[in-house]
Amino acid sequence: MGMASSHRLTLAGFADTITFMSQSTNDPAAEARLREAIAHMSDGFAVYDPEGRLEICNESFRRINNYTEAETEPGVATYDGLGKLDESQESVEHKPFTFKQRIAQLCRDGTNVVIQYHGDRIYERHQSATPSGGMINVHTDITELKRAEEALRDALEMADQGNQAKSEFLATMSHEIRTPIAGILGMADILLEDGLNEGERREKVFSIKSAGQSLITILNGILDLSKIQSGKLELEDIDFDLHGLITESLDIFYPTAHGKGIALGTKIEPGLPAAINGDPTRLRQILVNLIGNAVKFTERGSVSLRAGVAEQTEEQVLLRFEIVDTGIGIAANHQEALFEDFTQVDASTTRKYEGTGLGLAISKRLTELMGGEIGIDSVDGEGSTFWFTVPGHIAKATVSGPAGNSSEKEYRATRALQILLAEDNDMNQMIAKAVLAKFSHQITVVDNGRAAVEAVRRDDFDLVLMDIRMPEMDGPDATRIIRQEPNEKAAIPIIAVTADAVVENREEYFAAGMNACVTKPINLMELLSAMNEALDEEVHLLK
Ligand code: ADP
């Protein structure tokens, strides 16, 4: 577009020049200079008089259109519409055009621009009417421009593919790392439960556990970021209890805040809807990130969460959250960069606070994905306020609150279950057994999908815990076969047990016929509620 308009300017200039030339024959020196300039232009240039006779043209015009000098004799040659370009390559023109028709069209529509292909060169041809009713024809060689455009497009495509490959690599890598870490964490749990009473050893095992948990947090961060970057993160759209979610997000931090002697509180402004429609998981993730940072970077004073409504229409609200702390604060020159990937104010290896510098980057992308904004107000040394907004629809029905944080609670089983565990990894087998050991369930172990199918056919089970990746036959395939059984065994509850946190994959497991999905490292609460859900029976209850 830029090119076209710049040419129009040039053309207008030429039109004036030509008019001037034809009127000022009394200055032969000026005319000679102009003819000289036109002759040496790299653009093809030609002017026709109002009768369509060629008045002047240059060598580039002849070369581009394959004309001989004899064919372009001024006053003799007449406009023939297309020159000698290969006609099949003329793009959008409606032919034939007599010269008068063409001029009428140019006067009506302004400059006419056509792309012409000639051999391996590409030209842009501009035609416009002169004030006296003649026509100016300019051919510009845009071959290099087109090539550069193509190269740029290819490069973009490659970058896209590269980004895709990077995301896939990150997802695979985090999956592969997650599996052994799950093993380490599970083993640490077993050791802790196996009456590991001596203080020092117990502490060491605790260290293993907390290091493993940090690793999982980092992996989750990297996975999230790569998913967001590759545009693969899909937001949920469900009704949820907003107040419950706020309470739940804060609850996590009471022990730490208490340990540091800082106050942690909320201020829910009047008018905050009880329930809204949106993505609770992602909203919780942002809240937990920001509250976690505030608690981490505050040594005395308080952290408080304010939640209110910034704007409201009948159905939609713009929620605004503010996390205010009295911590170390952030100097103005550092504030902008904080939301970039892997950025920390103190990036030295001896820094005091742990972290990856991913939390704020992820929070920013998530808020923007949800259609909101995020920002910071801070005074170095006095504290920070991180705020963000999120639009949501007010939910019509009231929804039941999310399950409270009851990981510490004790459970019992109303009956002993016959459980088939299909899992190829020895350590994971042990962990699953250990997690379920406190119940009187009978656990039968097989180590691949084919054996699982056979076991289901042979014996009666209440439930199958099915690993996804196994030798010989994987979990989804085994599930598909079981679902095709001719008897009631086709309906046996199957729970996917996977090291994979990717949402898309979970959908695939459900499509294969699995009833529920739990992630490794196995969390007792999660497993018990998945079992209840898959059995459609409250087998596991609070003591
Ligand atoms: P991480 O906390 O894992 O390093 P974040 O992206 O969450 O990564 O935060 C990036 C950096 O921003 C932190 O390392 C810290 O320097 C600064 N920061 C974040 N929140 C606060 C806060 N409430 N007070 C002071 N500094 C903060």
Side-chain angles (χ1 to χ4, degrees):
M1 283 296 106
M3 278 200 60
S5 57
S6 72
H7 269 281
R8 222 164 284 142
L9 276 179
T10 324
L11 283 171
F14 269 117
D16 291 345
T17 313
I18 298 299
T19 317
F20 171 77
M21 263 174 63
S22 56
Q23 288 163 356
S24 56
T25 37
N26 53 356
D27 189 353
E31 186 181 326
R33 270 205 306 278
L34 270 169
R35 286 190 180 279
E36 178 88 346
I38 289 168
H40 287 94
M41 280 169 67
S42 60
D43 284 357
F45 181 79
V47 182
Y48 296 90
D49 71 9
E51 300 310 314
R53 288 181 301 248
L54 191 61
E55 268 187 338
I56 181 174
C57 75
N58 64 5
E59 180 50 34
S60 300
F61 176 78
R62 279 188 286 272
R63 178 175 44 77
I64 292 166
N65 293 290
N66 266 339
Y67 285 127
T68 60
E69 269 194 59
E71 285 171 312
T72 53
E73 193 61 37
V76 180
T78 50
Y79 179 76
D80 65 0
L82 296 170
K84 276 166 47 181
L85 286 178
D86 179 349
E87 293 195 13
S88 66
Q89 293 174 322
E90 177 85 3
S91 42
V92 280
E93 281 211 291
H94 304 291
K95 298 176 296 171
F97 263 107
T98 66
F99 187 71
K100 296 281 177 202
Q101 283 170 335
R102 166 59 28 119
I103 293 296
Q105 183 214 28
L106 293 176
C107 289
R108 192 178 64 239
D109 302 340
T111 303
N112 175 280
V113 184
V114 196
I115 304 287
Q116 293 184 322
Y117 297 87
H118 194 198
D120 61 350
R121 310 300 295 175
I122 308 168
Y123 298 97
E124 201 169 73
R125 192 199 63 191
H126 294 243
Q127 289 184 331
S128 52
T130 67
S132 57
M135 184 173 82
I136 294 179
N137 213 67
V138 178
H139 282 91
T140 307
D141 189 333
I142 56 164
T143 315
E144 303 314 323
L145 200 72
K146 283 282 176 200
R147 304 242 156 100
E149 194 180 295
E150 264 164 39
L152 205 65
R153 202 170 328 129
D154 288 351
L156 268 175
E157 216 166 88
M158 276 187 36
D160 225 36
Q161 283 168 5
N163 202 23
Q164 193 67 26
K166 186 193 75 181
S167 302
E168 273 160 28
F169 169 74
L170 282 174
T172 316
M173 189 195 69
S174 89
H175 177 274
E176 293 303 327
I177 298 177
R178 193 188 288 268
T179 308
I181 296 176
I184 295 173
L185 283 177
M187 280 302 178
D189 271 339
I190 292 173
L191 282 176
L192 288 171
E193 279 187 17
D194 272 2
L196 190 66
N197 293 323
E198 308 101 291
E200 205 187 323
R201 287 203 171 181
R202 198 177 165 80
E203 246 167 53
K204 285 180 182 154
V205 176
F206 261 125
S207 313
I208 297 178
K209 210 181 146 175
S210 76
Q213 266 155 353
S214 315
L215 268 173
I216 293 218
T217 311
I218 295 171
L219 282 179
N220 286 344
I222 295 177
L223 194 62
D224 271 346
L225 201 65
S226 70
K227 259 194 291 178
I228 299 172
Q229 279 173 343
S230 63
K232 271 196 185 156
L233 190 106
E234 285 186 19
L235 292 176
E236 265 189 313
D237 211 357
I238 55 174
D239 290 355
F240 64 93
D241 168 9
L242 185 57
H243 294 239
L245 186 136
I246 291 171
T247 314
E248 198 188 68
S249 308
L250 272 175
D251 275 354
I252 308 172
F253 297 102
Y254 282 112
T256 323
H258 187 76
K260 291 177 95 173
I262 56 176
L264 181 59
T266 41
K267 183 168 171 5
I268 307 262
E269 288 171 11
L272 189 79
I276 64 159
N277 185 281
D279 190 328
T281 315
R282 299 306 171 181
L283 179 58
R284 184 191 296 111
Q285 192 174 354
I286 301 169
L287 282 171
V288 166
N289 267 333
L290 298 183
I291 302 168
N293 278 345
V295 171
K296 179 159 79 172
F297 296 105
T298 303
E299 299 306 331
R300 68 181 70 85
S302 66
V303 169
S304 63
L305 167 67
R306 244 182 279 163
V309 171
E311 286 166 31
Q312 177 156 17
T313 61
E314 204 155 306
E315 281 182 4
Q316 235 198 326
V317 277
L318 185 67
L319 303 172
R320 183 181 167 95
F321 298 90
E322 281 177 18
I323 295 90
V324 188
D325 70 53
T326 58
I328 61 174
I330 301 157
N333 57 337
H334 283 131
Q335 293 177 9
E336 192 58 29
L338 282 186
F339 293 100
E340 286 163 19
D341 305 348
F342 300 106
T343 309
Q344 297 171 319
V345 172
D346 176 6
S348 63
T349 47
T350 54
R351 66 174 195 269
K352 184 173 167 195
Y353 302 98
E354 281 187 7
T356 53
L358 282 177
L360 291 177
I362 292 172
S363 301
K364 180 175 163 74
R365 289 176 197 233
L366 288 177
T367 13
E368 286 171 358
L369 212 60
M370 295 198 281
E373 285 179 287
I374 190 166
I376 175 182
D377 292 312
S378 177
V379 179
D380 200 8
E382 289 182 20
S384 317
T385 297
F386 281 87
W387 59 266
F388 69 98
T389 57
V390 175
H393 289 280
I394 300 173
K396 288 177 191 68
T398 46
V399 282
S400 61
N405 183 10
S406 42
S407 52
E408 300 304 315
K409 291 171 185 155
E410 287 287 296
Y411 285 83
R412 65 185 170 86
T414 55
R415 62 186 175 101
L417 299 173
Q418 298 293 330
I419 298 174
L420 176 67
L421 171 65
E423 164 64 76
D424 60 322
N425 181 296
D426 291 353
M427 195 158 63
N428 289 336
Q429 291 175 0
M430 278 177 62
I431 292 165
K433 281 200 241 173
V435 166
L436 292 170
K438 51 177 85 106
F439 306 97
S440 44
H441 305 323
Q442 291 293 313
I443 300 172
T444 307
V445 181
V446 290
D447 62 4
N448 68 64
R450 195 174 306 284
V453 174
E454 279 159 17
V456 167
R457 285 180 181 150
R458 193 177 52 236
D459 298 310
D460 285 327
F461 293 100
D462 295 296
L463 174 84
V464 184
L465 297 179
M466 184 82 84
D467 186 15
I468 297 301
R469 296 192 189 177
M470 286 183 286
E472 275 201 72
M473 183 186 285
D474 69 13
D477 278 346
T479 305
R480 275 184 278 268
I481 295 177
I482 293 170
R483 293 289 178 244
Q484 297 293 317
E485 289 296 288
N487 46 34
E488 80 286 353
K489 297 206 170 170
I492 187 168
I494 301 176
I495 298 175
V497 183
T498 170
D500 201 335
V502 182
V503 182
E504 292 84 82
N505 294 348
R506 297 172 73 111
E507 279 159 14
E508 186 199 318
Y509 310 151
F510 288 124
M514 291 176 167
N515 305 79
C517 180
V518 298
T519 45
K520 294 175 193 169
I522 293 178
N523 170 292
L524 181 64
M525 274 268 302
E526 195 190 355
L527 180 61
L528 296 184
S529 47
M531 284 165 71
N532 286 358
E533 190 195 328
L535 289 162
D536 199 21
E537 179 189 342
E538 298 292 313
V539 178
H540 303 97
L541 296 171
L542 276 174
K543 265 188 187 155

